Amino acid sequence: MFFTSSKIKIFSCIPIIFFIVLIIFFFRVVDSNKSTSEKKSNMIGKNLPSLKQLPAKFNHHKVLSSKIYLLNVWATWCPSCYEEHLFLNQLKLRGINIVGLNYKDKPELANKFLGKLGNPFENVYFDQTGMYGLDIGVYGAPETYVIKNGRVVYKFVGVLNQQIWVDNFERYFI
């Protein structure tokens, strides 16, 4: 006989072992994604590179000289940005200044998105190539930065919502 009964038992365990390894891998990936939002940016404490080099929706840069504001990185191709957008509109109603950085997107799609869902941004800058985003360490969209006196003081990767706001952002705006 080619296989003994003990070898057959060992071979029958292989799918179970593979399944356990797959589960461990899955939870490690989920955990690493969770901690992504908590990663610090190397831009913290540094001046934000000038946004004025980018094409803008309104071409008024008044908010950039304000004491504190949010810089939100978003795109129409980003499903999470749709989820986040309603909360950004609520922040605007609370008087929070938000500047939008439309990332690797087409301005006509961005304008259509804002027309349909509302515009929470004081100004929208278009980074079609993603080079500006590369300069400030953008991983993807959505991401939100707190800019205070022209310097990056905080960065968050992921969807900004009420709980994230209270836990991480509100202290900067009190």
Side-chain angles (χ1 to χ4, degrees):
M1 183 169 207
F2 189 70
F3 290 111
T4 63
S5 65
S6 64
K7 285 184 180 180
I8 292 174
K9 287 181 183 178
I10 290 172
F11 284 121
S12 67
C13 291
I14 289 176
I16 294 170
I17 292 169
F18 177 75
F19 181 73
I20 290 170
V21 169
L22 191 63
I23 294 294
I24 291 169
F25 177 75
F26 172 76
F27 282 108
R28 292 194 70 168
V29 168
V30 168
D31 189 50
S32 69
N33 286 340
K34 184 178 174 183
S35 64
T36 298
S37 63
E38 299 165 1
K39 287 182 180 174
K40 290 206 172 202
S41 169
N42 61 2
M43 286 297 297
I44 302 296
K46 296 181 181 173
N47 287 330
L48 185 70
S50 176
L51 285 158
K52 294 177 185 175
Q53 63 185 301
L54 298 172
K57 181 173 178 68
F58 300 115
N59 282 323
H60 64 78
H61 310 289
K62 188 173 77 177
V63 73
L64 299 178
S65 61
S66 63
K67 185 175 178 182
I68 190 163
Y69 63 93
L70 295 178
L71 174 66
N72 180 259
V73 180
W74 67 284
T76 60
W77 48 260
C78 160
S80 300
C81 296
Y82 287 84
E83 177 186 344
E84 180 183 66
H85 201 77
L86 177 63
F87 185 68
L88 295 177
N89 283 325
Q90 293 173 2
L91 287 177
K92 180 182 181 179
L93 294 174
R94 294 182 203 171
I96 304 297
N97 287 326
I98 309 171
V99 170
L101 178 63
N102 183 249
Y103 181 67
K104 293 184 175 179
D105 204 351
K106 295 179 180 175
E108 58 273 13
L109 294 176
N111 288 327
K112 191 181 288 185
F113 177 98
L114 295 174
K116 184 176 179 183
L117 300 176
N119 184 0
F121 306 117
E122 298 296 321
N123 204 357
V124 177
Y125 295 91
F126 299 102
D127 182 17
Q128 290 181 272
T129 63
M131 292 307 293
Y132 184 87
L134 189 64
D135 287 345
I136 65 171
V138 169
Y139 294 105
E143 291 186 10
T144 305
Y145 296 75
V146 176
I147 311 300
K148 186 173 184 179
N149 298 321
R151 291 182 182 263
V152 177
V153 295
Y154 184 74
K155 175 183 177 179
F156 180 78
V157 177
V159 175
L160 180 58
N161 59 32
Q162 180 62 34
Q163 189 62 52
I164 298 295
W165 175 260
V166 169
D167 292 345
N168 302 294
F169 287 85
E170 196 171 58
R171 61 190 155 127
Y172 296 106
F173 291 87
I174 294 177

